[in-house]
Amino acid sequence: MRSLLVLAVLVLLTGCQSEPPPKYSSNSNTDSPCARVVSAIGYAELMLSPKGQEEGQNFEPAVLGRIAETRGINAEFGGRLPAEARTAAAEVERTAAGLSIADTPHDRQVELLRQYRAATDEIRKHCAGK
């Protein structure tokens, strides 16, 4: 019963936000490489634990699939990102490759997730407004 009350409060609070939450999709209908990659990053991020809580991340198949999907979109569009974001795109490729493997040890997944997030933050920074 208490969990239903908490859920109801969260739903009400969410409805009171002044801006709608961002919408992410792996199937962006834009030709902008930045929009495609940033959208895929955001879509994967929806399944990740908050920053700073990577040790508690459950690297279940759905999470690994979203990261693998981001890797694929990054592989297709990352070479067309602004020049200053291309090093970060290469880092996303490297880290997502390790994260996409189900039998990667948890400690290594946590380390890769932190590196992946640093790279995705760089891409977002260099793609802002593009």
Side-chain angles (χ1 to χ4, degrees):
M1 182 68 169
R2 184 176 181 191
S3 62
L4 287 175
L5 178 60
V6 170
L7 180 60
V9 169
L10 288 174
V11 168
L12 288 172
L13 290 175
T14 302
C16 294
Q17 292 179 347
S18 61
E19 294 181 28
K23 293 184 180 181
Y24 298 111
S25 169
S26 60
N27 296 320
S28 179
N29 289 329
T30 179
D31 290 329
S32 165
C34 274
R36 295 261 183 149
V37 173
V38 168
S39 184
I41 289 166
Y43 186 62
E45 191 72 30
L46 294 172
M47 295 192 79
L48 298 176
S49 297
K51 287 183 182 181
Q53 297 180 25
E54 288 84 2
E55 279 98 12
Q57 178 67 51
N58 180 359
F59 292 96
E60 63 190 349
V63 171
L64 301 180
R66 291 259 180 114
I67 291 172
E69 188 172 7
T70 301
R71 179 184 179 204
I73 291 169
N74 181 67
E76 184 173 345
F77 296 99
R80 292 186 272 159
L81 292 175
E84 59 272 11
R86 290 189 196 139
T87 299
E91 182 69 356
V92 166
E93 167 61 28
R94 184 190 69 76
T95 57
L99 285 166
S100 300
I101 301 169
D103 63 353
T104 299
H106 187 265
D107 289 346
R108 178 74 177 136
Q109 286 175 316
V110 169
E111 177 184 336
L112 287 168
L113 180 56
R114 287 185 177 130
Q115 295 167 1
Y116 167 89
R117 280 187 154 155
T120 60
D121 286 347
E122 279 296 305
I123 290 172
R124 286 177 174 152
K125 178 177 89 174
H126 295 299
C127 281
K130 296 184 181 182

